[in-house]
Amino acid sequence: MSLSPLGTALITGASSGIGAIYADRLAARGHDLILVARNRGKLAGLAAQIADRTGRSVEVVAADLGDKADLRAVERMLATDASITTLVNNAGVGATAPLLSADVDAMERMIDLDVTALMRLTYAAAPAFMARGHGTIVNIASIVAIGPEILNGVYGGAKAFVLALTQSLHHELASKGLRVQAVLPGATATDFWGVAGTPVEHLPGEIVMPAEAMVDAALAGLDIGELVTIPALPDAAQWQAYEAARQAMLPNLSRSEPAARYRAVPAA
């Protein structure tokens, strides 16, 4: 196997579901791969299949990104392996129980993986990519980033962080060769739902997208240069209007005086 001219894509949560499909699609596009997940056996099986089918080099890294030592090892790989050109931050867990019914320790573990691990891997990759003058970071968020009422509030808050981080990275670093994308899937047919507490079979079929279709749409969004890709949204103008309204507010969010509606009414 020869080294890919496209470089290596490191994909977290790669042993199944969305991560495994990203692995298949990126290898088919010509990337070598580093697949990161906890289950070495599943990773090895997937790696063998992809390598046989595409001829690409596929390395597996068994790591629990909720474990500090494992996380630091993946950070070092991103910071020092000059072949890595793409990071897909896909590893994550969710929750469907209402906030007051959710176990707080489970919520903390979710933040550790969905927020802290993603942030640290991004901080490892971004300087390395900038030093080489190019690189791509894909952050898998969720529609709950803009619709926190839909599912558990901590999960919504975690994915809002992912969206905000991606937008900030684009603002700071796009001119320095870093390409970033936030992907906001809706309900997707993976085992995510069962782990989160609501099997996907319990959801209305009309809102559930096949995982292959979701990843293909996300990659199409990346190809056309989208910063934010919402695979199910029929009318891109709705997102553009949402973003335009947000940008229009920015100059008015910090001023020297309170808005008139908040000023004290003189006593009679």
Side-chain angles (χ1 to χ4, degrees):
M1 297 181 185
S2 60
L3 294 177
S4 168
L6 297 178
T8 300
L10 187 149
I11 305 166
T12 67
S15 61
S16 63
I18 289 170
I21 296 166
Y22 262 103
D24 175 79
R25 300 303 197 258
L26 290 176
R29 288 179 171 220
H31 288 271
D32 293 330
L33 302 177
I34 298 173
L35 306 182
V36 179
R38 291 179 298 177
N39 190 318
R40 183 181 294 277
K42 291 178 71 173
L43 284 176
L46 177 65
Q49 293 173 16
I50 292 175
D52 288 346
R53 186 166 59 251
T54 66
R56 300 301 346 147
S57 170
V58 186
E59 179 182 351
V60 302
V61 176
D64 178 355
L65 297 181
D67 176 86
K68 288 185 177 181
D70 284 3
L71 178 58
R72 300 301 185 269
V74 180
E75 289 178 52
R76 287 192 295 273
M77 186 176 296
L78 284 165
T80 60
D81 186 340
S83 75
I84 299 174
T85 58
T86 299
L87 167 63
V88 180
N89 273 317
N90 168 69
V93 293
T96 59
L99 186 73
L100 298 182
S101 301
D103 177 75
V104 69
D105 292 327
M107 297 300 95
E108 182 178 19
R109 290 191 295 272
M110 180 167 64
I111 291 170
D112 288 343
L113 182 58
D114 292 9
V115 173
T116 304
L118 180 144
M119 179 271 294
R120 293 194 64 96
L121 295 182
T122 298
Y123 263 73
F129 290 171
M130 283 177 54
R132 298 169 209 148
H134 63 91
T136 300
I137 298 175
V138 177
N139 290 327
I140 305 301
S142 165
I143 58 168
V144 300
I146 57 173
E149 305 90 347
I150 297 172
L151 290 176
N152 173 276
V154 178
Y155 180 59
K159 293 304 185 179
F161 173 90
V162 174
L163 174 59
L165 177 65
T166 306
Q167 290 170 314
S168 179
L169 284 170
H170 174 74
H171 175 72
E172 291 186 32
L173 302 177
S175 65
K176 296 177 173 63
L178 183 66
R179 181 170 61 157
V180 295
Q181 179 196 30
V183 181
L184 277 59
T188 306
T190 70
D191 59 4
F192 165 93
W193 289 94
V195 174
T198 302
V200 69
E201 295 80 12
H202 294 185
L203 301 177
E206 62 270 18
I207 72 166
V208 180
M209 184 177 293
E212 293 84 357
M214 196 289 291
V215 173
D216 288 339
L219 288 169
L222 183 66
D223 289 342
I224 62 176
E226 288 186 343
L227 170 59
V228 177
T229 296
I230 307 175
L233 185 67
D235 185 0
Q238 287 186 307
W239 171 258
Q240 293 160 3
Y242 178 97
E243 182 62 10
R246 187 181 71 84
Q247 292 289 339
M249 282 194 296
L250 292 183
N252 295 311
L253 296 179
S254 181
R255 302 175 73 93
S256 61
E257 295 182 350
R261 65 185 177 278
Y262 301 129
R263 292 173 191 160
V265 177

